[in-house]
Amino acid sequence: MVKIEGTVERITFRNEENFYTVFKVITDTGDQITCVGTLPQVIVGEELKLSGEWTKHEQYGLQFNVESAIPITPSTIVGIERYLGSGLIKGVGPSTAKKLVDTFGLKTLEIIEKEPHRLMEVEGIGQKKCETIAQAFLAQKDIQDVMVFLQGSGITPAYAVRIYKEYGKQSIDVVRENPYRLADEIFGIGFKTADSIAKNLGIKEDEPHRIRAGIRYALSTAVEQGHTYLPQEELLVSANELLGITVEKSFLEELAKAKQLIIEEDRCYLPSLYEAECRVAQRLLELCEHVPTLPFDQEVDSPFKLAKEQEMAVKAAMQEKVLVITGGPGTGKTTITKVILAQWEKAGFKILLASPTGRAAKKLSEATGRPAKTIHRLLEYGFGQTGMGFQRDEDNKLKGDALVLDEFSMVDIRLMDSLLKATDDKMRLLFIGDCDQLPAVGPGNVLKDIIDSQKIPVVRLTKVFRQKEQSQIILNAHRINQGQFPIIDNHGDFVFMQRKEPAEIADLIVDLASERLPRYIEDHFKIENTFDTIQVLSPMRKSETGVDNLNKRLQERINPPGHKNEIRYGYRLLRENDKVMQIRNNYQKNVYNGDIGKILRIDPEDKLMEVLYNDEDGDRIVVYEEDEIDELTLAYAISVHKSQGSEYPVVIMPVTTQHYMLLQRNLLYTGVTRAKKLVVLIGTKRAIYICLNNNKTAKRYSYLAERLHLQSAL
């Protein structure tokens, strides 16, 4: 194997998805060499020790095919300046790097490491920035050791930072001992990446560590798809496909003995989900017992004229300890919620209002004229005596007489468990939601299971009251829900634009979202087109009309590069003014999976990003550090699942046979009902018919309905 040393002069090409890179290196003798290879990190100005082989490309000539690259501390003035100015060290950009090198010359790196206080000799560097640079430089030196160890496994620099933050100087020892820990303990590193590291370390396919990790990963993947458990046979099949070997049933039993798996009859659970499902069933039934009737007049006191089923719902809320009210758009859920709240307040009740997301809580507050919180805020997520978690629980219950929870279809089994733990025995619960929407993104199917169990009182609203507003969105939403083709005349608030080819559909979506609809909105609705006025929804991520491609194209058109700072993370490019979405719960920052915001500022030197969110508290700015940026993704287009609980003035949605596997009636219904003023469907009538005829929702393994039956019989 050939070894060469040199300084990275420039990066000719880089694929941020697979890290394939073409770059130029200048050696000490002045030779310029074209290098190619899959490298997790390449920085202009960095000195590298490269190992590999010479190859001759038919078109590009002689190239050095890199198999490994080890960073070397730069030893020239130019090298040091380029190294520091590359953005590798937090707090140092090109201008600061030049000032440092002008002041300290060849001793710059030595001074940063051994005499960091001297950095304050440089104009513009105060004590705080001095400390930031010194800490980042020392951390980077340790991280480089981790990077050298992991670079052959495709680990990105940001993941190396996370590994180092989690394990410190023990990182390499931890990874060597059991790389599968990374899949469990480091966000963003899944089983497949951990498995790649393990193979490079020589861990065999039938190593018990690997098999146990593979089984847990297969079950965790099912949980991400909405299941609370998997049947044993399905779990074994998934593990076999993942691991490439035959997994014996005995491994499931071993995991069960180690309490890493719960086996109940044929069902395999992660322990936390099994416990949550059991507790939810038990607690719901407990709360339904010994219900005192709230006195009320036979004639419901309401400023609104209520239909018979609405009056039944209000009376049920007075009589039942736990009640579910479900119905589609325009059936009067908001109206009767107001009446119920008024009746309860008349009786002297202290009432709590909550929704699963910030946007939904804000909508509930605006609709009722009363304060509402997210469930996480209601349960006071934060730092307590036992660490981070919900501060409201079985030992510190919520204070109130009644709780109204809106958008209940979005609540998964884990969140339901946390909520019921904090519910006082005397508290009434009113759950409001649309059971025909898509189920929660998280595991379980709580609303549907409660209704199917027939053990919890349910009122279903069916009559549509808002037809007088001539809303084709509402009319067609109910037609879709009943399997009928929507009425399309393109004169109202429901528009269908027929296009067949995916490329045509994508072109039209970009044109509508960036130019045509903003003008239309301002002219016809007299509202300003802000970053959250128009929302593109798509059934899937991949494909030409999927979320990822549409986001890339919409970013290019709506927020093109200019005099704006930007940052690249893997295949994601984010820049100032971009519309972004949080893709994991971050309790410390009080931002949650699905929250949408706008990038106000990117600081390329300090590696910070400021994002503006608008939720139940109004506008607030959240600051992200470098290793948190992968929690964000572009949100010009989002999945229909991610749109649940939110409403947008205008929705654009492709409906194409390219998304055949995901074309379901409840998906189309959910997408259409997100729009308040205008919905535009683009695609083919055939794709709409496929949606309407596919009323078989994707199977979710959940046992809550059965548990409610079984436990109520005890």
Side-chain angles (χ1 to χ4, degrees):
M1 187 172 290
V2 180
K3 298 183 184 296
I4 61 173
E5 293 185 13
T7 303
V8 179
E9 175 67 17
R10 76 170 183 271
I11 298 170
T12 307
F13 171 79
R14 182 163 173 81
N15 184 326
E16 291 292 346
E17 292 192 33
N18 60 19
F19 307 117
Y20 178 78
T21 310
V22 180
F23 59 103
K24 301 285 187 182
V25 165
I26 294 183
T27 67
D28 291 341
T29 58
D31 295 328
Q32 190 178 73
I33 299 172
T34 299
C35 300
V36 298
T38 302
L39 305 176
Q41 182 178 31
V42 181
I43 299 167
V44 173
E46 186 177 31
E47 293 185 25
L48 297 174
K49 183 183 291 183
L50 304 172
S51 300
E53 301 290 345
W54 290 102
T55 59
K56 190 167 185 178
H57 192 279
E58 289 183 6
Q59 183 176 354
Y60 301 111
L62 195 63
Q63 296 179 336
F64 190 72
N65 194 350
V66 179
E67 294 188 20
S68 73
I70 299 174
I72 305 170
T73 303
S75 57
T76 66
I77 292 287
V78 173
I80 292 170
E81 183 179 334
R82 296 182 75 177
Y83 173 77
L84 289 174
S86 65
L88 190 66
I89 309 299
K90 182 178 179 180
V92 181
S95 61
T96 303
K98 186 174 190 314
K99 290 178 183 178
L100 287 166
V101 172
D102 286 348
T103 304
F104 301 117
L106 291 173
K107 291 188 174 181
T108 300
L109 299 181
E110 182 183 346
I111 285 170
I112 293 175
E113 182 178 1
K114 297 178 180 178
E115 300 178 85
H117 61 278
R118 290 192 58 193
L119 299 182
M120 289 189 285
E121 297 174 18
V122 178
E123 182 185 353
I125 297 182
Q127 184 172 349
K128 186 177 179 181
K129 188 164 186 176
C130 171
E131 292 172 356
T132 299
I133 294 171
Q135 290 170 5
F137 181 78
L138 290 175
Q140 187 59 38
K141 287 195 69 177
D142 288 332
I143 290 166
Q144 278 193 354
D145 292 337
V146 178
M147 283 301 304
V148 171
F149 176 68
L150 295 176
Q151 64 179 336
S153 303
I155 298 293
T156 64
Y159 288 151
V161 171
R162 285 187 180 171
I163 293 170
Y164 180 76
K165 276 190 172 183
E166 183 70 24
Y167 308 122
K169 293 183 178 180
Q170 303 301 314
S171 297
I172 293 175
D173 292 337
V174 167
V175 173
R176 277 196 177 120
E177 182 183 342
N178 180 12
Y180 296 102
R181 283 182 62 179
L182 301 180
D184 294 329
E185 298 170 4
I186 307 294
F187 170 71
I189 296 183
F191 172 84
K192 292 181 180 177
T193 302
D195 200 35
S196 174
I197 297 170
K199 286 178 182 176
N200 287 338
L201 293 172
I203 293 176
K204 295 179 181 178
E205 282 190 335
D206 58 355
E207 163 67 37
H209 266 324
R210 179 174 186 263
I211 295 173
R212 287 192 289 266
I215 293 170
R216 291 198 306 273
Y217 176 75
L219 191 51
S220 297
T221 300
V223 169
E224 289 175 3
Q225 294 167 351
H227 304 294
T228 58
Y229 72 88
L230 275 186
Q232 285 194 46
E233 199 56 43
E234 285 198 31
L235 178 54
L236 288 171
V237 168
S238 296
N240 289 345
E241 291 176 356
L242 176 71
L243 297 168
I245 60 174
T246 300
V247 178
E248 301 294 337
K249 208 170 186 178
S250 59
F251 275 99
L252 300 183
E253 294 164 358
E254 281 183 29
L255 285 168
K257 285 180 183 177
K259 298 184 178 179
Q260 295 181 357
L261 188 71
I262 298 291
I263 301 176
E264 181 187 56
E265 296 179 356
D266 186 47
R267 298 178 293 278
C268 296
Y269 287 85
L270 294 175
S272 61
L273 284 178
Y274 173 77
E275 292 161 6
E277 193 175 84
C278 291
R279 279 194 300 261
V280 167
Q282 180 181 350
R283 188 73 181 127
L284 279 171
L285 294 171
E286 286 175 354
L287 289 168
C288 286
E289 294 176 354
H290 310 299
V291 183
T293 301
L294 173 68
F296 69 99
D297 298 329
Q298 289 300 315
E299 294 297 323
V300 173
D301 182 14
S302 169
F304 312 101
K305 182 174 176 57
L306 299 179
K308 187 174 181 181
E309 65 179 19
Q310 291 180 309
E311 191 166 332
M312 286 174 57
V314 175
K315 289 182 178 180
M318 303 303 112
Q319 295 170 326
E320 303 293 352
K321 189 74 169 297
V322 181
L323 177 67
V324 173
I325 296 177
T326 185
T331 56
K333 295 192 298 295
T334 300
T335 297
I336 61 172
T337 300
K338 291 179 182 178
V339 175
I340 290 168
L341 292 176
Q343 295 279 122
W344 279 347
E345 287 170 345
K346 187 177 178 182
F349 279 18
K350 178 185 177 183
I351 305 167
L352 307 176
L353 280 77
S355 288
T357 67
R359 281 175 172 249
K362 185 179 180 183
K363 185 177 72 172
L364 177 61
S365 181
E366 291 171 349
T368 62
R370 296 164 175 87
K373 297 180 179 180
T374 63
I375 298 175
H376 289 86
R377 291 286 297 277
L378 182 74
L379 298 180
E380 298 176 15
Y381 192 94
F383 191 80
Q385 293 181 348
T386 58
M388 291 298 293
F390 291 119
Q391 303 309 303
R392 294 287 182 178
D393 55 20
E394 56 266 54
D395 298 320
N396 182 27
K397 293 183 182 290
L398 293 167
K399 308 298 182 186
D401 301 297
L403 168 63
V404 177
L405 180 56
D406 197 21
E407 296 290 352
F408 188 48
S409 64
M410 296 179 66
V411 175
D412 63 35
I413 195 72
R414 289 188 178 119
L415 195 53
M416 186 67 170
D417 180 37
S418 297
L419 182 71
L420 293 181
K421 281 181 185 176
T423 301
D424 189 86
D425 291 345
K426 297 178 181 179
M427 184 177 285
R428 292 172 183 265
L429 298 179
L430 174 59
F431 301 126
I432 303 170
D434 186 346
C435 64
D436 294 315
Q437 287 187 27
L438 290 168
V441 174
N445 208 348
V446 177
L447 174 56
K448 184 176 183 299
D449 284 347
I450 288 176
I451 293 172
D452 289 349
S453 76
Q454 298 183 351
K455 295 298 177 182
I456 307 296
V458 176
V459 176
R460 184 187 284 268
L461 304 175
T462 57
K463 186 176 179 181
V464 179
F465 294 93
R466 283 158 59 187
Q467 285 179 324
K468 62 183 180 182
E469 297 179 14
Q470 301 298 312
S471 170
Q472 285 192 326
I473 293 175
I474 293 173
L475 174 64
N476 282 333
H478 286 277
R479 289 181 65 86
I480 289 167
N481 201 28
Q482 295 161 13
Q484 301 173 4
F485 199 86
I487 295 171
I488 298 170
D489 57 23
N490 289 355
H491 293 306
D493 55 9
F494 189 100
V495 175
F496 172 68
M497 305 179 78
Q498 188 156 306
R499 298 291 188 278
K500 185 176 181 181
E501 296 301 323
E504 286 184 292
I505 296 171
D507 288 345
L508 182 53
I509 288 173
V510 172
D511 190 38
L512 285 169
S514 62
E515 296 181 23
R516 291 167 60 178
L517 280 177
R519 294 196 300 268
Y520 180 86
I521 288 167
E522 291 176 2
D523 291 344
H524 289 75
F525 299 145
K526 307 304 179 186
I527 59 175
E528 183 183 357
N529 177 40
T530 62
F531 81 100
D532 58 352
T533 302
I534 299 172
Q535 185 60 60
V536 177
L537 306 179
S538 181
M540 64 192 302
R541 297 207 63 82
K542 304 300 179 184
S543 82
E544 196 157 10
T545 54
V547 169
D548 292 343
N549 183 56
L550 290 174
N551 265 323
K552 185 178 178 182
R553 294 194 54 187
L554 287 164
Q555 182 192 45
E556 290 171 356
R557 184 75 72 87
I558 295 172
N559 189 31
H563 299 293
K564 305 167 192 168
N565 291 323
E566 56 185 37
I567 191 165
R568 185 178 289 278
Y569 189 96
Y571 64 88
R572 299 173 190 156
L573 175 66
L574 303 177
R575 64 172 62 101
E576 290 170 339
N577 295 334
D578 268 338
K579 182 179 181 179
V580 291
M581 180 174 63
Q582 178 81 11
I583 58 173
R584 68 173 294 210
N585 290 337
N586 188 320
Y587 300 106
Q588 288 87 346
K589 295 183 183 299
N590 192 28
V591 285
Y592 303 102
N593 191 350
D595 286 354
I596 291 178
K598 180 180 182 181
I599 298 175
L600 293 183
R601 187 175 76 92
I602 293 174
D603 186 330
E605 288 204 358
D606 287 339
K607 305 291 186 184
L608 297 177
M609 181 183 291
E610 294 179 358
V611 179
L612 174 70
Y613 289 99
N614 181 278
D615 51 27
E616 75 270 31
D617 291 331
D619 288 345
R620 63 190 180 94
I621 295 173
V622 176
V623 178
Y624 290 80
E625 302 222 11
E626 182 182 13
D627 65 325
E628 298 172 318
I629 290 171
D630 70 333
E631 295 181 10
L632 296 168
T633 189
L634 291 174
Y636 299 102
I638 64 174
S639 69
V640 179
H641 274 91
K642 292 287 190 183
S643 73
Q644 287 176 262
S646 297
E647 286 185 343
Y648 313 96
V650 178
V651 165
I652 308 171
M653 182 175 169
V655 187
T656 166
T657 52
Q658 194 178 30
H659 302 155
Y660 183 86
M661 295 297 292
L662 292 174
L663 292 180
Q664 297 169 349
R665 188 187 299 178
N666 62 347
L667 182 137
L668 180 59
Y669 173 78
T670 301
V672 166
T673 55
R674 299 310 88 205
K676 290 192 291 186
K677 292 185 176 293
L678 177 67
V679 62
V680 182
L681 301 182
I682 305 172
T684 64
K685 291 183 177 180
R686 181 169 179 264
I688 294 177
Y689 275 116
I690 292 172
C691 287
L692 298 175
N693 293 327
N694 183 9
N695 199 29
K696 294 181 180 178
T697 56
K699 171 68 177 174
R700 279 199 174 194
Y701 289 114
S702 169
Y703 205 64
L704 178 60
E706 291 82 357
R707 284 191 201 286
L708 286 165
H709 259 292
L710 292 169
Q711 293 190 27
S712 66
L714 295 177

